[in-house]
Amino acid sequence: MNTGSLWAQTSDVTHMGEEYRAAHPSHTAVTEWIAALHPGAPFEMLDCGVISGVTYRHLLTAGLEVDYTGIDIGEGAITDCRRLYPEARWQQMSITDLAFRDGSFDVVNCRHVLEHLPYYETAVRELFRVARRTVVICMFQVPEESEVLLRRETANGYIWLNRYAAGPFEALLHSLSESVEVIDVPADHRRNQIYLCTKRSA
């Protein structure tokens, strides 16, 4: 099964407009954390699930020297980002099969993607594989004690809107990380939770 195809219709994944998404305080939290890791120094970043380039725009606004690559399974999202930000690299690709060598990026960022896959483990292991040191995962379906795997039918097929059990999910992150910092981001339109992971040395 090609799990990436289950998340192909970006317009179905979220009803929020670009400005609505861009204003979420979780963007600021992630940008500030990355800026503290790379103060005044260039770094390479892979961004998974680009939508309309919102994360890239936040990094530019913060003045960060980022060598940026963004991926998305949706062809439309990649086309839009190439038009808006031609200086960055944009590739249509599944998060469960990343076409990069081990340790290719200083920072690997994954925002609002894992919830739309049939399950998370393959994707999480791919994020850590291609990261040198830092993996950032932002969830809008905040993991809780119980797990709910929900497949929603749409006009274009179906998407997943999963809420994962916190225990097994966080155990996987800790098995791959030297440290995991969890930031809870309350917001009027949707609470987010951010996992800031320092990859375990080989």
Side-chain angles (χ1 to χ4, degrees), residues 8-45:
Q9 295 297 327
T10 307
S11 60
D12 291 328
V13 167
T14 176
H15 66 277
M16 297 187 294
E18 180 178 350
E19 295 306 317
Y20 192 72
R21 291 192 304 270
H24 198 282
S26 58
H27 283 293
T28 299
V30 169
T31 300
E32 289 178 350
W33 193 73
I34 293 173
L37 286 178
H38 302 278
F43 62 96
E44 294 176 293
M45 178 174 176

Side-chain angles (χ1 to χ4, degrees), residues 70-92:
I71 70 157
D72 200 292
I73 198 67
E75 182 180 0
I78 295 301
T79 299
D80 288 346
C81 287
R82 285 173 177 163
R83 176 179 53 81
L84 291 168
Y85 307 105
E87 72 279 6
R89 287 180 295 276
W90 308 95
Q91 298 185 44
Q92 187 177 3

Side-chain angles (χ1 to χ4, degrees), residues 30-31 34-35 38-47 53-70 85 87-90 104-109 132:
V30 169
T31 300
I34 293 173
H38 302 278
F43 62 96
E44 294 176 293
M45 178 174 176
L46 174 66
D47 189 21
V54 173
T55 297
Y56 181 59
R57 192 171 82 190
H58 273 265
L59 297 171
L60 293 181
T61 300
L64 299 185
E65 296 182 58
V66 58
D67 183 354
Y68 177 96
T69 300
Y85 307 105
E87 72 279 6
R89 287 180 295 276
W90 308 95
S104 292
F105 301 93
D106 298 305
V107 179
V108 176
N109 184 59
R132 292 192 190 105

Side-chain angles (χ1 to χ4, degrees), residues 80-198:
D80 288 346
C81 287
R82 285 173 177 163
R83 176 179 53 81
L84 291 168
Y85 307 105
E87 72 279 6
R89 287 180 295 276
W90 308 95
Q91 298 185 44
Q92 187 177 3
M93 190 181 301
S94 171
I95 193 174
T96 60
D97 186 20
L98 296 173
F100 305 108
R101 294 190 302 272
D102 296 1
S104 292
F105 301 93
D106 298 305
V107 179
V108 176
N109 184 59
C110 174
R111 178 182 177 82
H112 298 182
V113 177
L114 300 182
E115 300 95 320
H116 298 303
L117 302 176
Y119 213 61
Y120 59 80
E121 185 170 358
T122 299
V124 168
R125 291 189 182 279
E126 279 289 272
L127 298 176
F128 277 84
R129 180 184 66 78
V130 302
R132 292 192 190 105
R133 194 64 176 157
T134 303
V135 175
V136 181
I137 297 173
C138 185
M139 309 282 277
F140 75 93
Q141 295 278 72
V142 175
E144 297 182 2
E145 182 177 349
S146 60
E147 187 163 81
V148 178
L149 306 181
L150 174 64
R151 194 176 84 163
R152 177 177 293 178
E153 303 297 327
T154 75
N156 298 301
Y158 62 87
I159 59 171
W160 292 89
L161 290 171
N162 296 332
R163 186 191 70 212
Y164 299 119
F169 176 71
E170 293 179 5
L172 176 61
L173 298 186
H174 280 283
S175 74
L176 299 168
S177 305
E178 291 181 359
S179 64
V180 179
E181 180 181 352
V182 183
I183 299 177
D184 191 68
V185 184
D188 291 340
H189 45 281
R190 189 183 284 273
R191 172 191 172 205
N192 276 214
Q193 194 152 280
I194 304 169
Y195 294 88
L196 307 170
C197 306
T198 301

